[in-house]
Amino acid sequence: MIVKILKGFVLGLIANVLGSYLYISIFSKESVEYTIEQGIEKGFIGGIIALGAILNLILFFFFVTKKIGKYQKVPQYYEARGVLLATVIAALAVLYFEF
C-alpha cells in the first residue's frame, strides 16, 4: 500500500516537473534556465509550478479510470492518492513562492 502511494507521489512529481518544462519550452522565448531564474527573481515561479500541475490532473484520472480489458475497470486508488499528495505539495510550493 505504501509503495503504491509512493509510486503515485513520484509520478505526480515527475508529471509536475515535466508539465512545467513543457509550459516553459512552449510559451517562453528564452531558455528554461533563464526563465526559472527570472521566475524566482520576479516572483512568477509559483505560476509556473501551478501550470505544471495540470499534468497531475491527467495522471490522476488515468489512475482512477484505468481499464484492463474492454469492459473491466481496475482503478488504482492508492496511486491516485499519491498523485493527490504530489499536487498538495505543489500547491504548498505555490503558496510559499507567491507569498
Side-chain angles (χ1 to χ4, degrees), residues 1-33:
M1 176 175 79
I2 298 295
V3 175
K4 290 182 179 183
I5 294 174
L6 186 62
K7 174 186 166 187
F9 178 72
V10 170
L11 287 175
L13 289 178
I14 290 171
N16 201 338
V17 169
L18 182 65
S20 298
Y21 177 78
L22 285 174
Y23 174 74
I24 291 171
S25 64
I26 291 172
F27 294 109
S28 177
K29 295 176 181 160
E30 304 294 332
S31 68
V32 175
E33 296 86 10

Side-chain angles (χ1 to χ4, degrees), residues 32-81:
V32 175
E33 296 86 10
Y34 181 76
T35 305
I36 291 174
E37 288 173 5
Q38 289 298 311
I40 292 171
E41 266 183 35
K42 296 184 179 179
F44 62 85
I45 191 72
I48 293 173
I49 294 170
L51 287 169
I54 292 173
L55 284 183
N56 284 356
L57 181 69
I58 297 168
L59 187 62
F60 174 77
F61 282 112
F62 170 75
F63 281 132
V64 171
T65 62
K66 188 173 181 181
K67 294 182 182 180
I68 288 180
K70 188 174 183 180
Y71 299 107
Q72 282 183 321
K73 286 187 180 179
V74 180
Q76 296 177 336
Y77 292 124
Y78 290 112
E79 286 86 351
R81 288 179 189 179

